[in-house]
Amino acid sequence: MTVQAREKREASCKTMELQWKIEESVGEDGSHRISDGEVDAALKNVDQQLEDFSNNIEKLEALGTKISDTLTAKQHELEKDIDEKIAKLENKTLETLQAKIQDLQALKDETATLTVAFKARLNSNSAAPSGQTFVFPTVLFNEGDAYSSRTGKFTATTSGTYLFSVAFCVKYQKSLFISIMVDGSKYTVAAFYGDANHGCSTADTVAVLTAGQMVWVAALSGSSYGTIIDQNTNLYWNTFSGTLIYK
């Protein structure tokens, strides 16, 4: 039973009690057994109880309004807090995704193979004195601009794994021994022998280079006199080529 119902019931009981007293105060002959003062006091007591009951109802209504306002304010605070937390989570998620995208882009840039490739050839017959650095002056292509047609040397512009190849056409009954050099060290050696069919042979090597290292072709054994290397612009070429195969 609620407080309001209980107080209402008590006021009703008091009123009934007063009625009983009034009825009991009247004799069978209609004479009053209690004084008018007692009746007035009883009525005043009932009025006071009704007033107290009304005041209590107002207090309860005010308390209910206050509780409702408090709950509404708390609900608004909770909704605001939830919205702020969701916004922070969304921002953090977005920042994380952007960082991942940047990491992936950086990884892509690191693993991308740059275009570094060249091929050059001789343009005339020549001798091949021991220790000579071959200069291939006619450049067919030079992606990355790493080969020098002036010195005959390739300079690595980026660190990575490279493939180099040479092709020589040697005069009949002549021989040529060469090395593909990396910063003065032999990376591969090869022998070329001329035959009656003017055959050309190739040699290659794979080198792991750091940026700035140089690669060239040198004669290990040959001759300073006469023609050893046969160059025919229309039929066969003597070439030096290279390419970056992995960065």
Side-chain angles (χ1 to χ4, degrees):
M1 181 181 295
T2 64
V3 175
Q4 293 176 336
R6 184 168 59 252
E7 291 184 352
K8 186 175 182 180
R9 180 178 179 183
E10 290 177 355
S12 177
C13 291
K14 291 292 184 179
T15 302
M16 293 176 64
E17 182 180 355
L18 176 61
Q19 290 177 347
W20 292 336
K21 287 183 178 181
I22 292 173
E23 291 175 356
E24 290 177 354
S25 67
V26 178
E28 293 179 357
D29 57 357
S31 62
H32 292 281
R33 297 180 183 178
I34 59 176
S35 65
D36 292 338
E38 289 177 334
V39 173
D40 290 339
L43 290 174
K44 185 177 181 180
N45 183 43
V46 170
D47 289 339
Q48 183 63 46
Q49 289 183 359
L50 290 174
E51 183 179 354
D52 292 342
F53 173 70
S54 178
N55 291 336
N56 288 337
I57 290 178
E58 291 178 357
K59 290 180 181 179
L60 287 174
E61 289 176 347
L63 179 61
T65 301
K66 184 177 181 181
I67 292 174
S68 177
D69 292 342
T70 301
L71 290 176
T72 301
K74 290 294 183 181
Q75 181 179 0
H76 290 164
E77 290 179 2
L78 180 61
E79 291 175 350
K80 181 179 179 182
D81 183 58
I82 292 175
D83 290 340
E84 290 177 351
K85 288 181 177 179
I86 291 176
K88 289 180 179 179
L89 180 60
E90 290 177 346
N91 291 335
K92 185 176 180 180
T93 302
L94 181 59
E95 291 174 357
T96 301
L97 288 175
Q98 290 175 339
K100 291 295 183 182
I101 291 173
Q102 291 176 353
D103 291 342
L104 290 173
Q105 184 62 46
L107 181 61
K108 179 182 177 181
D109 294 340
E110 290 177 0
T111 57
T113 300
L114 299 177
T115 301
V116 180
F118 75 95
K119 186 173 185 178
R121 65 173 176 83
L122 299 178
N123 52 21
S124 63
N125 296 341
S126 69
S130 180
Q132 170 186 315
T133 295
F134 290 99
V135 177
F136 300 81
T138 301
V139 177
L140 304 176
F141 57 85
N142 191 14
E143 297 294 331
D145 199 28
Y147 173 74
S148 172
S149 60
R150 181 178 60 83
T151 64
K153 294 183 178 181
F154 169 87
T155 303
T157 55
T158 185
S159 301
T161 302
Y162 292 80
L163 173 65
F164 297 95
S165 180
V166 294
F168 280 107
C169 307
V170 179
K171 281 285 190 179
Y172 177 55
Q173 294 184 339
K174 300 290 184 177
S175 62
L176 173 66
F177 296 87
I178 64 95
S179 175
I180 299 177
M181 310 290 290
V182 177
D183 281 352
S185 299
K186 299 174 184 176
Y187 250 61
T188 192
V189 294
F192 299 86
Y193 299 96
D195 57 30
N197 297 318
H198 301 284
C200 301
S201 301
T202 62
D204 53 52
T205 190
V206 173
V208 178
L209 306 178
T210 57
Q213 285 191 291
M214 303 179 72
V215 181
W216 66 89
V217 182
L220 297 180
S221 177
S223 174
S224 300
Y225 304 98
T227 298
I228 293 180
I229 299 171
D230 191 10
Q231 173 73 28
N232 187 313
T233 303
N234 296 320
L235 298 177
Y236 37 86
W237 289 351
N238 298 274
T239 61
F240 177 35
S241 60
T243 184
L244 174 65
I245 58 177
Y246 182 78
K247 180 180 180 297

